[in-house]
Amino acid sequence: HGNTREARLAKARGEHPNATESELQSIVTAKYRPKSRDGKERAKANLLKGRTRDRRAQRSASNVQKSAKDKRSLEGVTIIQFAEDLLHVTLRPAQRVILKSLYGIALDAGETELYATLTGGLTIQHGAESEATEGVLCCGARSGKSLMLSIVALYECIVRGHHWRKFLRSGELGYCIVVATRTAQAQEIVQGNAARLVLDSPELCDYIEGDVTQTRIEFTNRLCIQSMPCNTTAGRGVPVFCLILDEVAHFRVEGVTQDVQVYNSLSPRL
C-alpha cells in the first residue's frame, strides 16, 4: 500500500510541478478515494483479489512441494494448533477454553477454573473428549467472537474438508454458511477476518481457489465459506456442512421468530 501511494505521489508531482507536498497529498487522496460505500466495498474486494494474485505469483517450485507436504500433514491437527501454529493467531485464555470445549479437548487446571467462570459455575467440563455438534456462545461486544467464528469456519473447510467431502457428490460445492443481522456484517467475517487470516498464512494461502469475493472464499477441495442475508430463503437447497449465526439473538428482519426460522432452514443437513 505504501509503495502504491508513493507511486501515485510521484505521478502527481509530474502532473503538478508547482504544487506543494501538502497539495499533492490532497490531490492523491481525492483522486483515489472511493466515492461511495459501494466504491469502498469494491476497493476492498479488489485489494483481496490483488493479494491473492500476489501470493500465488510469489510461489516457487519448492513452495509448491512444501504446500503438498503441509496438506498431507494437516490430519490430526487440533483447532488450537490450527489457530496458533498455522493461522498465527494469539488466542486469549477465554478463547482457548471455548474452542477446546467445542472440540472436546481436555482443559488443564487453570483452564478448568476459567471454564467455571465462563459457564456460571460448572466445575466439570461438559462433553470432555467428545466434540459438540452445536455451540451457543453469549459474548459481549469486542469479545473476539468474530475471530473465533472465522477460525472455526476455516478449520472445518481446510482441516476437516476430507471428512465433509464424503457426503458430497463429486465436484459438488459444500457450504459453510455465515449469517448475521446485516449482510455487511456477515461479509466482514468472510472478508475481513477469514480471508485475511488465510491469506496471511504462508502454510494455508495455497488452499484458496480463485479470487476472494465480498461474499465467498472458495477452497481447492470444493468447500467454501459463504455469507448470506438474514432471511429464510437465501440458502435453501445448498449442501450446508457448517452453519454460523452471528448475533442470532438480534435476528429480527422478518419477525420475532426469525432466529428459529433461519436455523431450521439452514441447519447442516449433509
Side-chain angles (χ1 to χ4, degrees):
H1 177 75
N3 292 337
T4 301
R5 187 166 183 83
E6 286 302 321
R8 291 170 177 173
L9 283 170
K11 182 178 179 181
R13 290 189 188 100
E15 295 173 347
H16 307 277
N18 298 322
T20 65
E21 191 66 23
S22 176
E23 290 171 339
L24 289 171
Q25 294 281 356
S26 299
I27 291 169
V28 169
T29 300
K31 186 174 181 179
Y32 293 99
R33 176 186 294 163
K35 300 300 189 297
S36 65
R37 181 171 180 176
D38 288 342
K40 292 179 181 178
E41 292 297 333
R42 285 194 298 272
K44 188 174 182 180
N46 289 335
L47 176 61
L48 284 170
K49 289 181 181 179
R51 289 176 66 191
T52 305
R53 287 192 294 269
D54 290 344
R55 293 284 186 186
R56 287 176 177 161
Q58 294 169 3
R59 287 185 296 179
S60 63
S62 61
N63 286 336
V64 172
Q65 293 173 359
K66 179 179 181 295
S67 174
K69 181 179 178 181
D70 288 341
K71 290 180 181 181
R72 291 194 299 270
S73 67
L74 285 181
E75 187 174 352
V77 171
T78 69
I79 185 74
I80 302 300
Q81 293 168 334
F82 179 75
E84 296 182 335
D85 299 338
L86 297 177
L87 294 177
H88 309 288
V89 172
T90 301
L91 294 172
R92 301 172 187 170
Q95 291 172 332
R96 284 178 60 88
V97 169
I98 290 171
L99 291 174
K100 290 177 79 170
S101 298
L102 286 174
Y103 283 88
I105 303 172
L107 305 175
D108 60 31
E111 291 171 337
T112 300
E113 185 176 343
L114 180 53
Y115 179 81
T117 301
L118 294 172
T119 58
L122 291 178
T123 55
I124 300 177
Q125 183 183 357
H126 176 71
E129 300 184 4
S130 63
E131 292 186 21
T133 56
E134 290 187 357
V136 180
L137 306 178
C138 183
C139 303
R142 307 299 299 169
S143 60
K145 59 182 179 296
S146 293
L147 174 63
M148 287 191 291
L149 296 179
S150 298
I151 292 170
V152 168
L154 290 170
Y155 184 76
E156 292 298 325
C157 285
I158 297 175
V159 177
R160 295 291 182 80
H162 67 283
H163 170 72
W164 298 120
R165 286 243 51 96
K166 296 176 184 177
F167 303 95
L168 294 163
R169 294 189 298 271
S170 177
E172 184 178 24
L173 188 64
Y175 288 78
C176 170
I177 300 295
V178 180
V179 182
T181 53
R182 295 176 293 108
T183 301
Q185 185 176 341
Q187 291 175 356
E188 182 61 25
I189 295 175
V190 174
Q191 249 195 0
N193 286 294
R196 173 180 54 81
L197 287 172
V198 74
L199 284 171
D200 287 343
S201 169
E203 300 89 347
L204 300 176
C205 62
D206 291 335
Y207 280 86
I208 292 182
E209 179 72 23
D211 290 327
V212 175
T213 70
Q214 288 181 300
T215 60
R216 177 186 293 185
I217 309 172
E218 188 172 332
F219 299 95
T220 54
N221 58 6
R222 294 291 293 162
L223 299 178
C224 72
I225 303 174
Q226 174 82 45
S227 65
M228 288 192 174
C230 177
N231 63 55
T232 57
T233 60
R236 285 191 180 274
V238 301
V240 182
F241 63 88
C242 179
L243 176 63
I244 294 173
L245 305 178
D246 188 30
E247 297 192 357
V248 64
H250 300 285
F251 283 15
R252 293 291 186 270
V253 175
E254 295 178 358
V256 294
T257 61
Q258 179 66 2
D259 51 352
V260 177
Q261 294 174 23
V262 170
Y263 174 84
N264 288 338
S265 65
L266 290 176
S267 290
R269 49 186 176 271
L270 290 182

